[in-house]
Amino acid sequence: QDLSKTVIDNIRRPLNLSNLFGSQTSVEPYERLASQPVFTVTTPWGSPYLLFERTDRTESSLEFDEEEPQGATGPNGGAGAKQDNTKQVALYFMDEEDAMRLRDEMLQMDQMSGADMRITASSLSKAISQSSSLHKGLLTGQPIDVHTGKMKGPTEGGVLRYKIVPPKRELFYAARCKGRERVGLWNANAEDDARLMMQSVPVIGGTLANMRTSAFEKRKRERRAAAAGQVSEPTAADGVDPIRHQYRHMEGFVGIPVFHCPGLQKYNKIKGILRNERKKQSPVYFSYEDLEESYAAMRSKAKNPSGIPEKPDVEVYNLMDLVTSMDRDQWKVKRTSQLKRDGILGKIPLVNKITGTEGCGVPETIKQSSGLEQIVFVPNSKNTDFKASITKGGNGKARGLRPMRPWGRDAM
């Protein structure tokens, strides 16, 4: 049975008719991220373990609270924060090694010795949906207080905050790419950024906290000077890098890096004939190593490999900036088509007076495409392989099995 299932799976993946007749670029941008897995440390029932996050800029972002061991429990444990400047947070990891490292560190604690901790895989789209409510948190489904009519607070288990932890491995590769400032790599040279990403999480958190503090004070001084009329807004003519000026808000923070190479484009001839699509898709990779492998395969299959550079020209982008730009671009296309339909109806005088669209101008359709609609996300092969391995392993818990009925002498 296992052999037949393996054979069916191996046949089903190449014959993915939904990928052949469907279009990856027609779905919503956030739904395109469903193929990328994320990982979290949970109980056997899927409840995430919580950490205490310090809001003080001068301290590390994520630390364990060893003074209150009940803090490292599930979301319904009812543990309170140690201090007023700490908040509970559940983490989604983009790299399974970071999740396993956190699990091993928690198991070394005396109060967590022997705990049954699991690495659970979820989709990135779910993680983004839950982490979007970061300020006040996401409701956990706890009932409303019947006496006050209010929801329970974070310390009572009524609200849970989620965060996505970017992969250190990909941030290390992002340090050597163009546009590294988009993901918060703001050191003077790329070697310092790569060296920082090789350190432990407390060291990275402390360094970023100091960078946030210095950047905050610097922006305060610039605003005071601009209000006094002493200095003006710096431009590219002043020798300021446009990317560093545009993404100066990322100093002291890190984003989720994704990689793109202009020389890599995807075109399916069969799909182009069936769907009459002539546009080439632009793959964006979650893994720098996967991009290099795809580039090497493309170069080896080319008719003139010597005319193609040996190393790819890779540029790194911030995932959230890219997804929000795609969402905004898709909304503009839908809005333009809607206004065009309204314009056709508006040409009828009676309908024009009833709908009140008289005198409303319809903007012209943008002829030059931004290219964002042709972006497809390529998941990290390392993460997908790990997800497949834990799916095959299961959770080790038997479900749906009733106890055997007594029989023989035991029934008497």
Side-chain angles (χ1 to χ4, degrees):
Q1 185 179 359
D2 295 339
L3 180 61
S4 61
K5 185 178 180 181
T6 304
V7 173
I8 293 174
D9 290 341
N10 293 333
I11 296 175
R12 177 179 58 84
R13 290 177 181 177
L15 299 178
N16 190 357
L17 299 181
S18 62
N19 187 25
L20 181 61
F21 293 100
S23 178
Q24 298 177 349
T25 59
S26 61
V27 298
E28 298 293 334
Y30 293 96
E31 295 180 3
R32 304 183 198 182
L33 305 174
S35 59
Q36 171 63 31
V38 292
F39 308 95
T40 182
V41 182
T42 66
T43 63
W45 298 273
S47 300
Y49 283 89
L50 305 182
L51 279 74
F52 283 100
E53 180 191 22
R54 298 185 184 275
T55 57
D56 190 0
R57 296 188 182 92
T58 61
E59 295 180 347
S60 177
S61 298
L62 297 173
E63 294 181 0
F64 290 111
D65 187 357
E66 298 186 0
E67 296 184 11
E68 288 192 11
Q70 67 272 21
T73 58
N76 300 326
K82 182 183 70 170
Q83 298 176 355
D84 295 335
N85 64 338
T86 58
K87 295 181 180 180
Q88 288 181 335
V89 61
L91 300 180
Y92 282 110
F93 292 92
M94 295 289 296
D95 193 349
E96 72 276 2
E97 293 183 359
D98 296 337
M100 290 188 292
R101 190 177 298 109
L102 174 63
R103 182 195 60 183
D104 296 340
E105 291 179 1
M106 295 179 67
L107 288 175
Q108 291 178 2
M109 302 168 62
D110 296 336
Q111 58 270 27
M112 302 300 295
S113 178
D116 190 3
M117 296 185 182
R118 308 292 178 89
I119 303 297
T120 304
S122 305
S123 65
L124 180 58
S125 57
K126 175 185 175 181
I128 291 179
S129 176
Q130 292 182 339
S131 61
S132 59
S133 303
L134 180 61
H135 179 59
K136 295 184 179 180
L138 191 67
L139 299 178
T140 59
Q142 292 289 334
I144 300 175
D145 192 349
V146 295
H147 300 288
T148 61
K150 297 181 180 180
M151 296 293 299
K152 295 182 179 180
T155 58
E156 299 173 341
V159 178
L160 184 58
R161 300 168 69 247
Y162 293 88
K163 275 191 174 183
I164 302 176
V165 180
K168 291 173 52 180
R169 177 193 296 269
E170 306 307 329
L171 287 172
F172 171 79
Y173 288 122
R176 68 181 70 179
C177 301
K178 293 189 300 184
R180 57 190 177 91
E181 293 83 3
R182 296 189 180 102
V183 292
L185 301 178
W186 267 76
N187 282 313
N189 49 59
E191 289 77 10
D192 294 339
D193 287 327
R195 194 176 298 109
L196 175 62
M197 290 301 122
M198 296 176 63
Q199 304 298 324
S200 61
V201 173
V203 174
I204 297 175
T207 305
L208 293 177
N210 295 332
M211 293 176 62
R212 286 195 299 268
T213 303
S214 60
F216 179 73
E217 297 296 334
K218 179 181 178 182
R219 286 194 291 267
K220 284 177 61 177
R221 292 193 301 268
E222 291 178 353
R223 284 195 297 265
R224 286 196 297 263
Q230 299 177 1
V231 294
S232 59
E233 190 74 10
T235 59
D238 300 331
V240 179
D241 189 359
I243 295 182
R244 294 183 70 90
H245 177 65
Q246 182 181 1
Y247 289 91
R248 61 185 183 274
H249 62 278
M250 288 298 298
E251 187 174 2
F253 299 90
V254 288
I256 302 174
V258 288
F259 305 93
H260 175 253
C261 178
L264 284 176
Q265 292 182 338
K266 180 182 178 182
Y267 178 70
N268 193 328
K269 295 182 179 180
I270 300 177
K271 183 184 292 187
I273 297 174
L274 295 175
R275 296 179 55 88
N276 193 20
E277 288 185 358
R278 301 300 178 186
K279 296 181 179 180
K280 295 183 179 181
Q281 297 177 352
S282 299
V284 174
Y285 293 81
F286 281 93
S287 172
Y288 183 85
E289 297 175 354
D290 293 343
L291 187 147
E292 283 190 326
E293 292 179 0
S294 299
Y295 187 84
M298 181 272 297
R299 189 172 181 271
S300 62
K301 296 179 181 178
K303 296 181 180 179
N304 185 17
S306 59
I308 302 176
E310 185 178 356
K311 294 293 182 180
D313 183 17
V314 184
E315 190 167 358
V316 63
Y317 292 90
N318 193 328
L319 175 65
M320 299 310 300
D321 293 340
L322 191 60
V323 172
T324 51
S325 299
M326 294 168 58
D327 191 26
R328 190 184 304 111
D329 189 73
Q330 199 173 62
W331 178 86
K332 288 181 180 179
V333 173
K334 292 181 180 179
R335 181 58 177 168
T336 302
S337 61
Q338 181 182 0
L339 291 176
K340 288 178 63 178
R341 290 193 300 268
D342 294 343
I344 295 175
L345 295 177
K347 294 180 180 179
I348 304 176
L350 180 60
V351 177
N352 193 3
K353 292 182 179 180
I354 294 175
T355 57
T357 57
E358 187 175 1
C360 297
V362 179
E364 297 182 357
T365 306
I366 302 175
K367 296 182 180 180
Q368 294 183 355
S369 175
S370 61
L372 295 175
E373 70 278 1
Q374 298 302 322
I375 289 179
V376 292
F377 292 99
V378 181
N380 191 327
S381 60
K382 183 170 171 288
N383 299 151
T384 53
D385 293 342
F386 182 79
K387 176 184 176 297
S389 64
I390 61 177
T391 301
K392 291 180 180 179
N395 60 358
K397 301 289 183 180
R399 296 183 179 182
L401 299 180
R402 297 180 180 179
M404 297 180 61
R405 294 182 180 180
W407 62 283
R409 294 183 179 180
D410 297 336
M412 304 179 69

